[in-house]
């Protein structure tokens, strides 16, 4: 299919000063492909267009209806939303419920106990599965064990675990007893763990001896030992899952084996109801733009919005679908769309411990085939990596089961979107109607999806998250807070409170107000730039902190990166603005080439010209640097601020949340040559 031909001519013709300075972002990249849902898909879709109408007519009452429909309340609420203490919201006021009961017990009570809740596949190939009845029993045991270790309602529990079922069991056991979990990425250092333990004053740490990564045992417990070596912490107990059997140091009086304490605990445990606004968890943001923030989420609103979006955005049919979200539980996607929403919805999901290329680059697709995964939710970085490895790898597997594809974490470049659609969603071109792609925009702070197409309703566009979820009110505004017209760019804001919104930053209410509510007073400022296209659909343009100002033109990193990725030689690209005496800022691009492409002067000239052709001469990078890797957080986001340091010849800043801390070294080495 020659979809490229459908692109509009895309040179910048209008460069009048009014146009130049009118937009917070210039709107440069043109993309006009659109894919309506197939009639067959639409006929059995969960979401319908009437949801938008109902939500617009009913405001918070729309969410009240969802809350009653989706969740089982112990005591019904009396008010949908209390916004009298804005920006601190209270949703479903007066209601009480238990999150674990909603995710587990009620499915068993209602006859769904034999349905598989979790298929687990370890990296070495070991497997386990849990039905809803079995998972309920495990969580009850863990809840009893945590209580026997002195954890009570309101206490904080730090979770430092690999992607194994015990991670989900731990989070739900906390929720069951009203303890507040704070999950810390297994890849983070002892220092990062300690600072999060201290910030939340955690009483219990749940960890494992280690896990398997890239075919080798990888240790976790030593980092916990190191984190707790210095006195002055609040931890009374460490609970250790035996995962890889590697020897560990043992601190008598502090350490407990999971198999001694949890496996022997009673499987009888009654879930008591907690207030709708009872804290559910604290989670630190990924730190792409600076020091991570401890985001606080509560119970009723969070569960309502995450479960509602999980059903509608992914078209979930819980009796038949097999859902797989590849996110680690260490970031918000693993909270909302692994631990909570799928289980509240009674879905069957896959959890995979390891990396996508162990023992071979087709591991993910092998898992899709083996478990007949029908809904796959992953990040653009993973899709671009698979593109780099080549389409012949997924094409060796039968991906026919896939019905819906999701994307989260970063803007998805149109080129990666098309690849995802054809190669994965179209089973390598064998399907007449490839699976719809839902690009979901949201943040740790928003708790659940905020902008996303609805499969079966929305005609999807490559690279755009498009429309606000029903019941969510977003806009793109200029510096004065006025909505921009279609065809223009600006700042993404959320105009009304939403059920899964953060309730604050742990221990720092002032920072909550300053960070999100100062810029536009009554609107939540997300920190992201966006544009509206001619249809009013929303395109994310990257962080406003990353906007480049080149000779008075405000350019988005995302658009230039997408133009680079649309060249067949480029696998991944990251763009930053570096200080420049003549132009204010100059565009500097870091690119990873695809396997077959050669790194020489020609490629740099070719790529500069390609960007010039795709979006206009002003966007041509001043420098293009070919690198072996890009600095990414554990959740797969590119850390542009570190590349900016490189581009401006500085020592790179705080890189403590990088997935691989050798990357900056690798880049420095490659640039020496
Ligand atoms: P910090 O706030 O500490 O800098 P972070 O913003 O990277 O960290 P997250 O909450 O994990 O931490 O990421 C949310 C951000 O990810 C959004 O603000 C947005 O920039 C980006 N993002 C997420 N999903 C999408 C998407 N579908 N399209 C575009 N951007 C997205
Ligand atoms: Mg953020």
């Amino acid at each position: 299919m020659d979809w490229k031909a459908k692109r509009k001519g895309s040179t910048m013709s209008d460069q009048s000063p009014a146009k130049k300075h009118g937009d917070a972002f210039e709107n440069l990249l043109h993309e006009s492909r659109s894919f309506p849902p197939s009639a067959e898909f639409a006929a059995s879709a969960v979401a319908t267009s009437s949801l938008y109408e109902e939500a617009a007519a009913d405001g918070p009452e729309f969410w009240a209806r969802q809350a009653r429909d989706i969740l089982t309340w112990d005591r019904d609420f009396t008010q949908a939303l209390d916004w009298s203490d804005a920006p601190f919201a209270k949703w479903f006021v007066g209601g009480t419920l238990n999150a674990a009961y909603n995710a587990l017990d009620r499915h068993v009570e209602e006859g769904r106990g034999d349905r598989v809740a979790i298929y687990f596949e370890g990296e070495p190939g070991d497997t386990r599965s849990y039905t809803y009845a079995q998972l309920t029993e495990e969580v009850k045991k863990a809840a009893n064990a945590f209580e026997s270790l002195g954890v009570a309602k309101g206490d904080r529990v730090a979770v430092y675990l690999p992607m194994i079922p015990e991670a989900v069991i731990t989070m739900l056991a906390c929720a069951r007893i009203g303890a507040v979990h704070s999950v810390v990425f297994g890849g983070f250092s002892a220092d990062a763990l300690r600072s999060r333990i201290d910030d939340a004053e955690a009483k219990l740490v749940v960890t494992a001896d280690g896990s398997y990564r890239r075919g080798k045992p990888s240790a976790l417990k030593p980092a916990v030992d190191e984190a707790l070596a210095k006195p002055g912490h609040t931890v009374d107990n460490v609970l250790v899952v035996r995962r890889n059997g590697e020897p560990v140091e043992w601190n008598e009086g502090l350490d407990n084996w999971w198999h001694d304490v949890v496996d022997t605990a009673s499987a009888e445990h009654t879930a008591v109801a907690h207030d709708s606004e009872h804290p559910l968890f604290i989670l630190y943001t990924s730190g792409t733009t600076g020091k991570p923030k401890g985001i606080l989420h509560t119970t009723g609103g969070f569960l309502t919005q995450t479960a509602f979006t999980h059903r509608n955005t992914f078209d979930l049919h819980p009796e038949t679908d097999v859902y797989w979200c590849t996110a680690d539980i260490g970031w918000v996607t693993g909270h909302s769309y692994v631990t909570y929403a799928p289980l509240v919805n009674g879905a069957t999901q896959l959890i995979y411990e390891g990396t996508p290329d162990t023992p071979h680059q087709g591991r993910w697709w092998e898992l899709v085939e083996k478990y007949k995964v029908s809904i796959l939710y992953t990040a653009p970085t993973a899709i671009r990596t698979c593109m780099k490895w080549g389409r012949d790898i997924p094409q060796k597997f039968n991906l026919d089961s896939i019905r819906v594809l999701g994307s989260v974490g970063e803007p998805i470049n149109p080129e990666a979107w098309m690849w995802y659609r054809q190669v994965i969603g179209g089973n390598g071109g064998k399907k007449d109607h490839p699976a719809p792609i839902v690009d979901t925009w949201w943040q740790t702070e928003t708790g659940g999806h905020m902008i996303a197409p609805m499969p079966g309703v929305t005609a999807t566009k490559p690279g755009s998250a498009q429309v606000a979820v029903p019941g969510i009110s977003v806009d793109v505004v200029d510096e004065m807070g006025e909505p921009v017209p279609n065809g223009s760019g600006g700042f993404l804001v959320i105009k009304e409170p939403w059920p899964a919104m953060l309730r604050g930053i742990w221990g720092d209410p002032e920072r909550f107000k300053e960070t999100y509510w100062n810029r536009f007073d009554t609107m939540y400022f997300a920190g992201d730039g966006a544009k509206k296209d001619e249809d009013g659909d929303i395109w994310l343009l990257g962080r406003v902190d990353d906007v480049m100002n080149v000779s008075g033109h405000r350019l988005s990193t995302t658009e230039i990166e997408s133009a680079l990725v649309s060249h067949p030689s480029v696998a991944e690209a990251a763009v930053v603005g570096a200080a420049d005496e003549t132009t204010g800022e100059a565009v500097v691009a870091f690119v990873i080439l695809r396997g077959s492409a050669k790194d020489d002067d020609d490629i740099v000239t070719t790529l500069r010209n390609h960007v010039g052709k795709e979006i206009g001469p002003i966007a041509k990078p001043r420098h293009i640097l070919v690198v072996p890797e890009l600095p990414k957080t554990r959740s797969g986001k590119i850390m542009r601020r570190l590349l900016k340091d490189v581009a401006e010849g500085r020592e790179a800043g705080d890189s403590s949340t990088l997935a691989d801390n050798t990357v900056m070294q690798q880049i420095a080495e490659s640039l020496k040559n």
Side-chain angles (χ1 to χ4, degrees):
M1 180 170 57
D2 185 17
W3 40 264
K4 274 207 146 165
K6 286 197 207 150
R7 279 197 179 187
K8 274 188 214 148
S10 55
T11 44
M12 286 222 322
S13 49
D14 180 0
Q15 282 198 36
S16 66
K19 173 80 183 156
K20 262 195 293 194
H21 303 289
D23 295 352
F25 282 78
E26 277 177 68
N27 184 355
L28 298 177
L29 196 69
H30 294 274
E31 168 58 65
S32 55
R33 291 167 280 186
S34 165
F35 300 92
S38 73
E40 196 192 335
F41 193 105
S44 58
V46 174
T48 55
S49 54
S50 63
L51 278 177
Y52 295 98
E53 289 147 33
E54 284 172 39
D58 300 344
E61 287 307 317
F62 169 79
W63 286 114
R65 209 157 49 241
Q66 303 307 328
R68 291 191 176 105
D69 177 36
I70 294 171
L71 300 176
T72 305
W73 295 81
D74 204 61
R75 187 176 71 217
D76 192 17
F77 50 88
T78 51
Q79 191 185 355
L81 167 68
D82 176 359
W83 191 230
S84 58
D85 187 27
F88 297 91
K90 290 196 179 77
W91 279 89
F92 312 131
V93 183
T96 64
L97 76 171
N98 186 287
Y101 175 85
N102 273 276
L104 300 164
D105 310 48
R106 63 172 183 158
H107 299 306
V108 182
E109 290 169 11
E110 292 163 18
R112 297 184 289 276
D114 292 338
R115 186 182 296 169
V116 173
I118 295 175
Y119 288 116
F120 170 70
E121 174 109 5
E123 200 189 70
D126 57 316
T127 58
R128 275 188 259 170
S129 69
Y130 295 83
T131 62
Y132 273 90
Q134 289 166 330
L135 193 64
T136 305
E137 191 159 302
E138 293 304 318
V139 169
K140 287 180 173 177
K141 286 185 185 174
N144 281 320
F146 292 4
E147 284 178 334
S148 75
L149 294 174
V151 180
K153 180 170 179 172
D155 288 342
R156 274 80 61 204
V157 174
V159 182
Y160 189 65
L161 280 168
M163 271 312 274
I164 55 177
E166 285 82 354
V168 173
I169 293 167
T170 296
M171 291 161 81
L172 290 171
C174 288
R176 193 171 187 92
I177 63 180
V180 183
H181 55 74
S182 166
V183 180
V184 181
F185 255 127
F188 285 173
S189 66
D191 281 353
L193 175 61
R194 175 64 185 261
S195 67
R196 287 160 175 76
I197 289 172
D198 288 349
D199 192 48
E201 300 175 280
K203 258 187 134 168
L204 171 70
V205 179
V206 185
T207 188
D209 48 3
S211 66
Y212 294 96
R213 275 194 92 70
R214 305 200 185 280
K216 286 193 281 278
S218 143
L220 278 173
K221 174 78 167 40
V224 179
D225 296 342
E226 194 189 326
L228 300 182
K230 266 184 263 113
H233 60 73
T234 47
V235 176
D236 300 331
N237 282 287
V238 176
L239 188 57
V240 189
V241 177
R242 184 139 71 199
R243 168 62 187 140
N244 64 15
E246 294 290 300
V248 290
E249 305 255 321
W250 206 250
N251 300 312
E252 288 301 334
L254 192 63
D255 293 344
N256 310 265
W257 282 113
W258 179 283
H259 52 260
D260 286 341
V261 183
V262 180
D263 291 355
T264 58
S266 157
E268 298 295 322
H269 187 277
T270 309
V272 293
H274 306 296
D275 191 88
S276 176
E277 283 298 336
H278 184 67
L280 188 60
F281 64 86
I282 304 165
L283 179 64
Y284 294 81
T285 55
S286 44
T288 316
T289 55
K291 185 170 173 276
K293 304 170 275 278
I295 301 301
L296 173 66
H297 282 288
T298 61
T299 310
F302 175 83
L303 294 179
T304 300
Q305 189 177 333
T306 54
F308 171 82
T309 49
H310 184 254
R311 284 179 186 188
N312 288 285
T313 317
F314 297 127
D315 191 50
L316 179 77
H317 291 77
E319 313 76 33
T320 47
D321 276 316
V322 177
Y323 165 84
W324 182 20
C325 169
T326 65
D328 192 283
I329 44 126
W331 69 303
V332 70
T333 308
H335 284 59
S336 305
Y337 297 103
V338 175
T339 299
Y340 289 105
L343 296 175
V344 166
N345 284 336
T348 296
Q349 70 175 318
L350 172 63
I351 290 180
Y352 169 56
E353 176 187 32
T355 52
D357 52 350
T358 307
H360 57 80
Q361 292 177 338
R363 184 69 186 272
W364 274 16
W365 317 118
E366 190 176 74
L367 290 174
V368 167
E369 183 179 291
K370 173 173 171 186
Y371 292 97
K372 299 200 167 41
V373 170
S374 55
I375 305 171
L376 176 68
Y377 191 28
T378 192
T381 179
I383 299 163
R384 291 190 301 260
T385 302
C386 293
M387 284 171 76
K388 186 167 66 184
W389 293 339
R391 65 168 65 209
D392 46 312
I393 293 171
Q395 279 173 358
K396 286 187 204 127
F397 300 90
N398 184 354
L399 309 181
D400 202 39
S401 54
I402 289 183
R403 309 194 295 114
V404 178
L405 293 172
S407 174
V408 60
E410 283 189 293
I412 175 166
N413 322 101
E415 210 62 25
W417 195 101
M418 288 306 302
W419 190 93
Y420 197 28
R421 174 178 165 89
Q422 294 171 327
V423 181
I424 308 303
N427 195 14
K430 294 199 267 300
K431 276 187 180 173
D432 290 341
H433 298 294
I437 296 178
V438 286
D439 176 12
T440 60
W441 178 87
W442 59 294
Q443 311 176 296
T444 309
E445 294 89 335
T446 70
H449 298 163
M450 300 295 282
I451 309 179
M454 291 289 153
V457 178
T458 318
T460 55
K461 297 179 180 176
S464 172
Q466 294 183 288
V467 281
V469 163
I472 299 297
S473 174
V474 303
D475 208 339
V476 181
V477 300
D478 63 18
E479 323 241 325
M480 306 305 297
E482 293 299 320
V484 302
N486 288 353
S488 297
F491 305 94
L492 183 69
V493 293
I494 306 170
K495 294 196 300 187
E496 299 290 344
W498 65 100
M501 72 192 290
L502 73 165
R503 300 305 196 260
I505 294 180
W506 185 254
D508 201 347
E510 277 313 305
R511 191 174 171 205
F512 169 58
K513 290 189 201 161
E514 263 161 47
T515 312
Y516 309 102
W517 302 93
N518 260 7
R519 183 72 183 76
F520 295 111
D521 196 19
T522 60
M523 296 186 286
Y524 171 94
F525 174 45
D528 287 352
K531 70 183 181 189
K532 294 180 196 165
D533 68 14
E534 297 301 338
D535 303 324
D537 281 331
I538 293 174
W539 296 69
L540 276 302
L541 294 178
R543 316 303 178 110
V544 290
D545 300 355
D546 291 337
V547 183
M548 295 166 295
N549 195 326
V550 180
S551 305
H553 295 268
R554 293 168 69 88
L555 305 179
S556 113
T557 50
T558 300
E559 292 190 319
I560 303 177
E561 287 164 7
S562 289
L564 285 162
V565 172
S566 76
H567 191 278
S569 298
V570 177
E572 288 212 64
V575 162
V576 298
D580 183 278
E581 278 175 14
T582 42
T583 54
E585 275 189 302
V587 179
V588 178
F590 295 77
V591 298
I592 303 180
L593 298 180
R594 290 217 207 182
S596 53
K598 272 216 283 313
D599 169 13
D600 55 22
D601 290 348
D602 283 355
I603 188 76
V604 170
T605 314
T606 308
L607 293 180
R608 291 190 72 236
N609 290 337
H610 178 72
V611 173
K613 183 168 69 59
E614 287 292 303
I615 56 187
I618 188 76
K620 274 190 185 179
R622 170 81 54 85
H623 299 293
I624 294 186
L625 306 169
V626 177
V627 290
E629 263 311 326
L630 292 170
K632 286 178 196 151
T633 63
R634 280 284 302 220
S635 54
K637 295 176 206 292
I638 299 170
M639 275 223 221
R640 290 180 189 75
R641 63 183 167 81
L642 298 180
L643 295 173
K644 197 174 163 87
D645 292 338
V646 173
E648 295 183 342
R650 264 193 312 275
E651 186 79 24
D654 177 18
S655 60
S656 62
T657 59
L658 274 187
D660 173 356
N661 43 31
T662 67
V663 166
M664 293 312 291
Q665 190 64 33
Q666 291 178 42
I667 291 175
E669 288 296 322
S670 75
L671 296 181
K672 271 191 211 149
N673 306 327

